[in-house]
């Protein structure tokens, strides 16, 4: 009884090994990119022998020919692989970091309010669902009103702070460009 999907063991002969070496020309299946290289070798080898061969069979045969683990370990990594702690310089990014902390605080407040409202909803009967929805909408309106500025104005003010207008550019340059386009 054969297992579906299992390929037969290959009968490796000299011709097949030569075809494997031809397929490996230009591809070194060791190091960081060994699996990508093996995919190329596998495709070339399968096309040259006109048989369905799995990449695992190729790995197994290469393991009998070479010490693949030792070759992989001896391969030089083409990029630095050391981890180091990274922080942004406070002198340049302190304003952005403070804004980010404030936004995180607001998000945490919103999340805690939504969690509280969810626990309240679970405790209330199903018939009062409309009242819960109205209460939730009211809470959202109150939270937005606490900012005292509409979202559009708030976004414009943030953009002006982050991207100040160049002193040499005329103030109405964008309106002139808009008029020319239409």
């Amino acid at each position: 009884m054969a297992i579906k999907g299992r390929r037969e063991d290959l009968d490796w002969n000299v011709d097949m090994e030569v075809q494997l070496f031809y397929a490996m020309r230009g591809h070194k299946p060791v190091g960081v990119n060994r699996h990508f290289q093996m995919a190329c070798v596998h495709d070339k080898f399968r096309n040259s022998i006109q048989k369905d061969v799995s990449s695992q069979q190729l790995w197994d045969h290469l393991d009998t020919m070479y010490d693949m683990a030792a070759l992989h370990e001896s391969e030089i990594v083409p990029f630095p692989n050391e981890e180091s702690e990274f922080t942004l310089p406070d002198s340049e990014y302190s304003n952005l970091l403070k804004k980010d902390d404030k936004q995180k605080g607001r998000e945490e407040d919103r999340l805690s309010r939504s969690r509280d409202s969810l626990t309240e909803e679970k405790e209330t009967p199903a018939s009062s669902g409309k009242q819960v929805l109205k209460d939730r909408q009211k809470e959202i309106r109150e939270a937005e009103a606490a900012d005292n500025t509409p979202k559009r104005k708030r976004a414009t003010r943030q953009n002006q702070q982050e991207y100040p207008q160049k002193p040499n550019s005329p103030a109405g340059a964008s309106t002139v460009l808009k008029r020319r386009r239409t």
Side-chain angles (χ1 to χ4, degrees):
M1 184 170 170
I3 300 173
K4 275 191 171 180
R6 184 174 176 188
R7 296 181 173 104
E8 297 176 12
D9 288 335
L10 283 179
D11 189 23
W12 287 93
N13 56 29
V14 176
D15 185 44
M16 288 181 69
E17 286 188 357
V18 169
Q19 292 300 322
L20 177 62
F21 290 133
Y22 279 134
M24 288 179 62
R25 188 176 25 181
H27 302 286
K28 186 167 56 168
V30 294
V32 177
N33 296 324
R34 65 185 176 275
H35 297 287
F36 296 110
Q37 298 295 332
M38 180 52 84
C40 295
V41 170
H42 177 251
D43 187 49
K44 287 181 180 180
F45 181 70
R46 217 178 63 213
N47 290 336
S48 67
I49 66 167
Q50 301 295 318
K51 286 185 181 178
D52 192 22
V53 179
S54 71
S55 61
Q56 186 60 46
Q57 288 173 319
L58 294 178
W59 282 117
D60 292 341
H61 189 68
L62 286 174
D63 276 334
T64 62
M65 297 171 68
Y66 305 104
D67 186 5
M68 295 300 285
L71 288 173
H72 173 63
E73 291 299 321
S74 69
E75 186 68 19
I76 298 171
V77 178
F79 49 84
N81 201 18
E82 297 176 13
E83 291 186 19
S84 61
E85 188 65 29
F86 175 77
T87 57
L88 292 172
D90 287 335
S91 61
E92 297 178 25
Y93 298 100
S94 62
N95 292 338
L96 292 174
L97 293 173
K98 288 177 185 175
K99 286 181 186 177
D100 190 41
D101 290 341
K102 287 179 185 177
Q103 288 176 352
K104 285 181 182 177
R106 288 180 188 161
E107 288 295 323
E108 289 174 2
D109 290 343
R110 288 180 189 159
L111 286 174
S112 65
R113 277 189 259 139
S114 65
R115 282 189 210 121
D116 293 342
S117 66
L118 286 175
T119 55
E120 289 173 6
E121 287 176 16
K122 289 179 182 177
E123 294 171 1
T124 58
S127 60
S128 66
K130 290 181 181 180
Q131 183 61 35
V132 170
L133 181 61
K134 287 180 183 179
D135 292 342
R136 182 70 181 132
Q137 289 173 345
K138 184 179 177 182
E139 287 176 9
I140 292 171
R141 276 189 244 118
E142 288 173 358
E144 289 175 354
D147 290 340
N148 294 330
T149 54
K151 288 183 181 178
R152 185 171 289 172
K153 286 185 181 178
R154 202 172 32 233
T156 305
R157 203 172 299 134
Q158 285 175 348
N159 289 344
Q160 288 172 351
Q161 289 172 355
E162 292 175 12
Y163 308 105
Q165 192 173 11
K166 295 178 184 174
N168 296 337
S169 65
S174 61
T175 57
V176 172
L177 290 175
K178 289 179 184 175
R179 289 182 193 155
R180 287 183 185 171
R181 289 181 188 163
T182 56

